[in-house]
Amino acid sequence: MDRQLQVELGSRSYPICIGRDLHVEIQSRISELRARNRPIALITDSEVARCQEPFLNACFRDVPRWELPAGEVNKNLHPFIEALEFLAQQGFDRSTVLFAVGGGVVGDFAGFVAASFMRGIEFVQVPTTLLAMVDSSVGGKTGVNLKAGKNLVGAFHQPSAVYIDLCRLETLPVRQFNAGMAEIIKAGLLADREFFEQLESMDRLHASSPELVSVIARSCEIKAQVVASDERESASSGGRALLNLGHTFGHAIEQVTQYRSYLHGEAIAIGMRMACELSEHLNLITTADTQRVIGLLQRYELPVCLEPSLSIDALMTAMGRDKKKREGSLKYVVLKQLGNAATQADVDATLIERALQKGGAI
């Protein structure tokens, strides 16, 4: 193990273990649980089961497994009920520990299953995509999608540990890796200008880059600090909501395109560009700042414009159903400067429409 961080949440604090080839650590965790007569279950998806078969066999050979069909479109209530029925039929009880092995879809889904079964069981995150490693596996947000919008059903349920094994990235398609870089870039943009500039100065990262451990660790540190200060996103301004930089736009893009046109990180890349455009219209950052963000996103072949163009009306309607809406008002995350984000309420709708137009909506 190269690095270990801690998400500080009092009695619910947990470690984030980062390194290459962590199967020994995971096997040790499983052995420890079994020594205490703790039942173990596994949720993964069909694509992870295919690509990570040797790893799954090494760590979870005789663990009862339930597989979710791969893809964001399957993160909904129907398979959620099926997974709960599986756990019940297997005779699992409140002492069960559920391992979530997969990308963000699996982590969100399995976390919600763990939060719901027997009114809450322990679960462990083993993310297999870069995006899940730096974002969805940390912080305890779990949930599934409704037709009306993304993650509209869910719960806050923290994992008991996160194992970030960079060897899992060896089978990850380049497009998926690049989508994860969107969340890493977001971390620098919202809280650490020096980190953002470090990413600008680096050659394009890939799964075997030696700098990747430190880059992932810094991204996780930023998220852990924000989560520790505002776990349930209840702060009246700032707080955990800052992690949604680009997400109000991005989630609307995903929902309107029915989760079929863009990977999550790709939609967030477009959303970050739109957030930068909005910040410009509010006279907070400059055009040059926006171009720097666009340039770094494009280095990883991430989209910064919608293609084909989507309806502004459809996107505005989708944003109106965003789960972050409170008391009839939606706060947007904007940039005061690169590395310093803030929440902004009561944004003029015409400015939102201008930002959408810049992103290619019509």
Side-chain angles (χ1 to χ4, degrees):
M1 188 191 316
D2 295 307
R3 297 284 295 275
Q4 180 167 313
L5 313 174
Q6 190 83 352
V7 181
E8 298 291 352
L9 292 169
S11 62
R12 292 172 297 104
S13 298
Y14 56 92
I16 305 172
C17 307
I18 306 171
R20 295 187 184 273
D21 203 3
L22 297 185
H23 73 277
V24 172
E25 286 84 351
I26 296 170
Q27 288 171 327
S28 176
R29 176 77 173 225
I30 291 172
S31 296
E32 174 194 341
L33 291 168
R34 283 178 166 160
R36 292 187 286 142
N37 295 316
R38 300 285 300 276
I40 298 167
L42 168 66
I43 288 182
T44 187
D45 72 21
S46 56
E47 185 66 13
V48 173
R50 182 183 68 83
C51 294
Q52 303 282 351
E53 183 179 3
F55 170 73
L56 292 176
N57 286 339
C59 293
F60 305 97
R61 180 182 300 276
D62 56 349
V63 173
R65 177 195 304 186
W66 191 88
E67 290 182 15
L68 177 71
E72 181 83 37
V73 70
N74 296 303
K75 196 180 84 173
N76 59 64
L77 286 169
H78 298 294
F80 169 73
I81 293 170
E82 292 176 10
L84 291 172
E85 291 286 4
F86 167 80
L87 294 178
Q89 290 166 5
Q90 290 284 325
F92 287 112
D93 58 27
R94 289 181 178 176
S95 65
T96 301
V97 180
L98 177 63
F99 280 74
V101 181
V105 169
V106 171
D108 286 356
F109 178 90
F112 188 37
V113 169
S116 305
F117 186 68
M118 298 284 178
R119 297 191 176 93
I121 61 173
E122 182 180 338
F123 85 113
V124 175
Q125 288 271 23
V126 185
T128 60
T129 67
L130 181 61
L131 191 146
M133 290 175 180
V134 300
D135 185 48
S136 57
S137 67
V138 178
K141 277 190 176 181
T142 73
V144 296
N145 306 328
L146 298 179
K147 290 181 180 179
K150 183 161 180 169
N151 295 331
L152 292 182
V153 179
F156 287 96
H157 189 59
Q158 299 292 343
S160 58
V162 180
Y163 291 94
I164 296 177
D165 184 351
L166 274 66
C167 288
R168 301 307 108 225
L169 299 176
E170 292 172 359
T171 61
L172 192 69
V174 172
R175 182 185 174 195
Q176 288 271 5
F177 182 92
N178 290 344
M181 286 302 304
E183 290 286 357
I184 289 174
I185 293 167
K186 181 203 76 175
L189 274 179
L190 71 91
D192 189 341
R193 184 187 183 103
E194 184 178 337
F195 181 48
F196 176 81
E197 292 175 343
Q198 178 186 354
L199 294 172
E200 282 186 305
S201 69
M202 287 179 175
D203 292 334
R204 180 166 150 171
L205 296 170
H206 48 81
S208 58
S209 295
E211 306 96 333
L212 196 56
V213 168
S214 63
V215 166
I216 289 173
R218 181 57 188 142
S219 297
C220 290
E221 283 176 346
I222 290 169
K223 181 155 191 182
Q225 289 164 2
V226 174
V227 168
S229 67
D230 182 27
E231 180 185 1
R232 292 180 173 264
E233 204 169 310
S234 57
S236 58
S237 64
R240 185 165 183 163
L242 297 177
L243 296 171
N244 294 316
L245 176 65
H247 283 58
T248 299
F249 294 108
H251 285 172
I253 292 166
E254 289 182 282
Q255 194 262 318
V256 170
T257 58
Q258 299 181 319
Y259 309 101
R260 298 184 187 278
S261 299
Y262 301 98
L263 298 174
H264 174 68
E266 293 172 338
I268 297 312
I270 300 171
M272 281 194 286
R273 187 263 174 90
M274 291 175 173
C276 287
E277 299 286 357
L278 176 60
S279 302
E280 250 194 84
H281 298 328
L282 292 167
N283 298 314
L284 297 172
I285 64 172
T286 67
T287 301
D289 291 329
T290 298
Q291 290 304 311
R292 286 177 65 181
V293 176
I294 290 173
L296 186 52
L297 292 170
Q298 289 180 324
R299 182 181 303 174
Y300 289 94
E301 300 178 355
L302 289 163
V304 292
C305 291
L306 293 169
E307 190 64 42
S309 296
L310 300 180
S311 159
I312 285 179
D313 288 343
L315 291 168
M316 292 289 283
T317 299
M319 285 190 286
R321 294 192 291 259
D322 193 284
K323 67 181 184 299
K324 296 178 287 297
K325 188 175 181 179
R326 292 186 182 178
E327 299 174 355
S329 177
L330 185 60
K331 290 182 180 179
Y332 290 84
V333 183
V334 296
L335 291 174
K336 297 168 70 174
Q337 57 185 349
L338 300 185
N340 184 4
T343 51
Q344 181 92 21
D346 302 319
V347 178
D348 192 314
T350 59
L351 297 183
I352 304 301
E353 291 176 1
R354 286 171 62 187
L356 290 170
Q357 287 172 340
K358 282 280 192 175
I362 59 172

